[in-house]
Each structure stands twice: as structure tokens, then as C-alpha cells.
Amino acid sequence: MSRRLPRPPILPGYSSELVFFGIGLLLVLTVLAGSLSSRFGLPALIGFMLLGMLAGSEGLGGISFENVGLAQGIGVLSLVFILFSGGLDTIWREVRGGAVPALLLATAGVIVSAAVVTVAAMWLLGFTPLQGFLLGSVVASTDAAAVFAIMRSRNMPLRDELKGVIEVESGSNDPMAIFLVGAALLLIAVPETSPLALVPAFGVQMAVGALVGYAIGVGFPALLRRARLRVGGLALVVSIAAALLSYGLAGLLQGNGFLAAYMAGIVAGAREFPSRRTIAMFQDGLAWLAQVLMFLTLGLLVFPSELVEVLGPGLAITAVLMFVARPLSVFLCLAPFRRYGWRSKLFVSWAGLRGAVPIVLATFPIVAGVPGAQSIFNIVFFVVLLSSVIQGPTLGWLARRLGLDTPQPQAPSGH
């Protein structure tokens, strides 16, 4: 009779086998939930987050998860791979025409959105100026994961110049939002700090992040060409290293790691190197896994009963963001570019989906111990849910109504 060697449990009170089985089952159910939500025209992230909430301590799963720091770490790591993969899949020649307006939206547009939400939070919710600024900064950026998934779906045959603006903006506006959130937290912790003193730091973060991303994006394909790896799987390991190095090195040099990861993906994607298609497919799968883990974790972190308490504030901020802050920022930033008419501006405004990035950013005040941070987190989660449910399914319809979609090629009829 064979005897099993004792194994230390991964979690106290649970065997390793049970933990692995539970994680595998959650991943499968999450993918099924995402596919089911997509069939109803909803972004897959809705299914991911709802399953996380269902599996949480107030749901059927009863999983108690309150480690905000761990959730933040999972979110940051997931965003690195999502941005790197998004950059790899970006066809630069198709989006470069919209790069300048996209970068204007990613910087000035984020500031305008944050400012409008700040005023709204003070007026409608009774927030202090710094609390309002913190909330506005958290929800100001669009989400790369949500935008990439919808823009690249078969149901979104959008013109290249518009698709480029929306995709590049979503991939490059996180650094500005992160900077604003950091500035808000610093001003709350150290009120005597001068906001003007933070401007040079932002310039350094952007410049260093872009340079590191460009260097990794050039070096990653060059390494694969020169190494001539005999084991094909090692090329996939190198691609993972490139994503992690871009984020980590930029951070060590006081640069923005998210910008570096996205830039590295774009620069590498514009070059030829061995196993290019295989690496792109692998990174795409890794990005989807990152989305599943991130949204599932964020869903576990939420207590549905607390969302009821922020129903009014959540609806108010969502309305301001959708119908005032986002349109104002888009119309102002795209005003210098005559090729974008009011229809294009209206569509870009509606395409400002919120997703994981605001939720991940909303964990920063909790970790920092800011008073009222949990309420801000719940409001942000509510805003993301409404944005995904309302804006995501209607993007294709709006593109057709505004005449911004491209005609689908018809198959030749047989004779």
C-alpha cells in the first residue's frame, strides 16, 4: 500500500489539490462568464467581474478576500502584459495618423476630465477639493483592455483613423492618470506641497518611460534575431522578460513603467524578428489571462451590499463623466484637427470606456490609508460597471448611425 508524502498547504486549512482545483475551476467559469456576456453584446470584463463578485464573501462562493495590496499588485502586473500585448498588435502604419490627437487626448484630455469630475464631486457629493481631485483623477483615463477588445472585434469595422486615435489614447493615457492620482495622494498627505513642483517630475516620468520603452522595443527583436534560439519556447520567455524589463527598468529610473510597456510593444511590433507571429499569439493569450485574473480579483474585492450605498453618487458621477467630462475633453482636444468632424468627436467621446485601470487606481488610496477611500473605490467600481454596460454594447450601433463604419467586403457570388 503506497503512502502519500505530506505536502504543506498553500492556504491554511486547504490542501494544495483543493486550491489548484478551485483556481482552475474559477478560471474556466470566468471564461465562460465572459463568453456569455459577449453573446449579449456586453464587454467580457462584465462577466469576469460579476463572477468574481459571485464567488466572493457575499456571493455563493463565500471566498473571503480583502487583501487590497495583493489585488493592486495583480492589477499592475496584468496591465503591464495587457499594454505590451496591445502595443505588439498595433499596426503602426494604420494608427500613426491619429497619434498626435491621441497623445493630446491622453494628456490634456485626462486633465480636463479630471477637472470636470472634481468640480462635480464637490458640488454633487460634498467632497473636499482634494477628495474630488482624487476621484476625478482615478476615473479620468480610458481602459486599454476594454478598448482593445472592442475595437479589434469583428463587430467593429471602424475607419482606421478613428480606431487609431481611440486605441493609442487608451494605451497611453494611463501615465497621466497615475501621475494625477499620485499628485492627489501627495497633496492629501503633505498639504503644503506646491502643485507646480510636480510638473518637472511628470516630464521626467514621460521622457524616461518613452526612452526605456523604445530601447526595449528595439533590443527585444534584435536579441531574437542574433540569438537564433534553438528551442522555440525560449522566444516566448524572452517576450515575457521584455514586458517586465520595460516596466521595471523605467520605474527604477523614475520613469513611467506603463508607458514603457506600451511603447516597447509598439516599437517591437513594427519590426521583423523570428517567431513574431507565435510571440504575438502567445502575448495575446497572456493578456487575456491577465484580464481574467485582474477582473476576477477585483470582483472578489467588492462587497455588493456596499454598492447599494453609493448608488446615487455612482449614477451622478457616471452621468457627468459620460455626458459632460468626456465629451468636453474630446471636443476641446480634437478642435485643432479639422479632419475630425462632430460625428467623429461624438463617437470618440462615447468610446471612452472605463475598466480595470480606474479600479486598480482606486486601490491606491486604500493602501495609502486615505479617509473615505473605500467609498471612492465603490463609486469607481459602480462607474466602471455602468460604463461597460451602457457604452460597450452601443459602440457598433453608434458607428453605423454616424456613418463611421467601413463597409464589410462581400464574398463573390457564384455563377
Side-chain angles (χ1 to χ4, degrees), residues 81 84 88 216 220 224 233-246 273 278-280 282-283 286:
F81 287 110
F84 184 73
L88 273 179
I216 298 293
F220 161 51
L224 291 178
L234 290 178
L236 307 182
V237 176
V238 175
S239 71
I240 295 176
L244 296 176
L245 282 172
S246 59
F273 52 89
T278 302
I279 288 174
F282 170 75
Q283 285 292 335
L286 197 59

Side-chain angles (χ1 to χ4, degrees), residues 214-225:
Y214 182 82
I216 298 293
V218 171
F220 161 51
L223 175 62
L224 291 178
R225 286 195 299 267

Side-chain angles (χ1 to χ4, degrees), residues 29-30 33-35 37-38 42-52 295:
L29 291 177
T30 305
S35 300
S37 62
S38 298
L42 299 172
L45 66 89
I46 291 294
F48 300 159
M49 287 194 296
L50 290 180
L51 183 64
F295 287 117

Side-chain angles (χ1 to χ4, degrees), residues 63-86:
I63 299 175
S64 179
F65 181 77
E66 299 181 31
N67 193 331
V68 180
L70 177 59
Q72 184 184 103
I74 292 174
V76 169
L77 181 63
S78 299
L79 288 174
V80 169
F81 287 110
I82 290 169
L83 289 169
F84 184 73
S85 173

Side-chain angles (χ1 to χ4, degrees), residues 142 147 151 158 162-171 347-348 351:
T142 59
V147 170
M151 288 293 105
L158 196 64
L162 279 180
K163 183 183 291 187
V165 168
I166 296 168
E167 286 193 11
V168 174
E169 180 209 2
S170 69
F347 182 81
V348 174

Side-chain angles (χ1 to χ4, degrees), residues 22-396:
I23 293 174
L25 182 61
L26 271 178
L27 289 177
V28 171
L29 291 177
T30 305
V31 173
L32 292 177
S35 300
L36 184 62
S37 62
S38 298
R39 289 188 179 184
F40 288 96
L42 299 172
L45 66 89
I46 291 294
F48 300 159
M49 287 194 296
L50 290 180
L51 183 64
M53 295 169 66
L54 189 63
S57 57
E58 292 187 349
L60 298 177
I63 299 175
S64 179
F65 181 77
E66 299 181 31
N67 193 331
V68 180
L70 177 59
Q72 184 184 103
I74 292 174
V76 169
L77 181 63
S78 299
L79 288 174
V80 169
F81 287 110
I82 290 169
L83 289 169
F84 184 73
S85 173
L88 273 179
D89 288 340
T90 299
I91 304 175
W92 179 245
R93 65 178 180 272
E94 295 182 358
V95 304
R96 62 184 176 186
V100 174
L103 292 177
L104 193 58
L105 282 170
T107 50
V110 171
I111 294 175
V112 172
S113 293
V116 172
V117 174
T118 298
V119 175
M122 293 168 57
W123 181 44
L124 299 175
L125 309 184
F127 277 24
T128 66
L130 286 180
Q131 286 177 328
F133 178 46
L134 179 59
L135 176 60
S137 302
V138 167
V139 300
S141 67
T142 59
D143 184 69
V147 170
F148 288 158
I150 291 179
M151 288 293 105
R152 295 171 184 178
S153 67
R154 295 180 181 178
N155 298 325
M156 187 59 63
L158 196 64
R159 295 176 184 175
D160 288 342
E161 67 270 16
L162 279 180
K163 183 183 291 187
V165 168
I166 296 168
E167 286 193 11
V168 174
E169 180 209 2
S170 69
S172 57
N173 63 8
D174 297 340
M176 176 57 82
I178 293 168
F179 172 77
L180 292 179
V181 170
L185 292 175
L186 179 60
L187 292 172
I188 290 174
V190 188
E192 61 270 18
T193 303
S194 171
L196 293 178
L198 302 175
V199 176
F202 174 74
V204 170
Q205 285 185 25
M206 297 301 102
V208 172
L211 289 173
V212 169
Y214 182 82
I216 298 293
V218 171
F220 161 51
L223 175 62
L224 291 178
R225 286 195 299 267
R226 291 180 177 273
R228 297 179 182 178
L229 301 173
R230 295 182 179 180
V231 182
L234 290 178
L236 307 182
V237 176
V238 175
S239 71
I240 295 176
L244 296 176
L245 282 172
S246 59
Y247 177 83
L249 181 59
L252 290 173
L253 298 177
Q254 305 304 311
N256 191 283
F258 292 113
L259 178 61
Y262 185 56
M263 177 69 75
I266 289 180
V267 174
R271 284 162 167 73
E272 292 296 331
F273 52 89
S275 305
R276 186 178 185 280
R277 181 175 176 81
T278 302
I279 288 174
M281 292 179 63
F282 170 75
Q283 285 292 335
D284 183 62
L286 197 59
W288 273 108
L289 176 61
Q291 286 190 57
V292 169
L293 288 175
M294 177 172 57
F295 287 117
L296 179 62
T297 303
L298 294 174
L300 285 171
L301 200 61
V302 171
F303 292 88
S305 61
E306 295 181 355
L307 295 181
V308 179
E309 301 174 3
V310 297
L311 179 62
L315 286 171
I317 295 301
T318 302
V320 169
L321 194 60
M322 284 185 183
F323 302 113
V324 182
R326 174 66 179 178
L328 181 61
S329 66
V330 170
F331 276 76
L332 285 177
C333 291
L334 296 187
F337 307 95
R338 294 186 177 180
R339 66 180 181 272
Y340 299 106
W342 70 268
R343 290 182 177 86
S344 298
K345 294 173 185 174
L346 182 60
F347 182 81
V348 174
S349 300
W350 197 245
L353 274 77
R354 268 59 188 177
V357 174
I359 301 178
V360 172
L361 291 180
T363 63
F364 283 67
I366 298 178
V367 175
V370 174
Q374 187 62 48
S375 296
I376 291 178
F377 179 88
N378 292 334
I379 291 173
V380 171
F381 195 91
F382 193 89
V383 169
V384 169
L385 282 178
L386 279 184
S387 172
S388 301
V389 170
I390 296 173
Q391 293 174 281
T394 56
L395 273 177

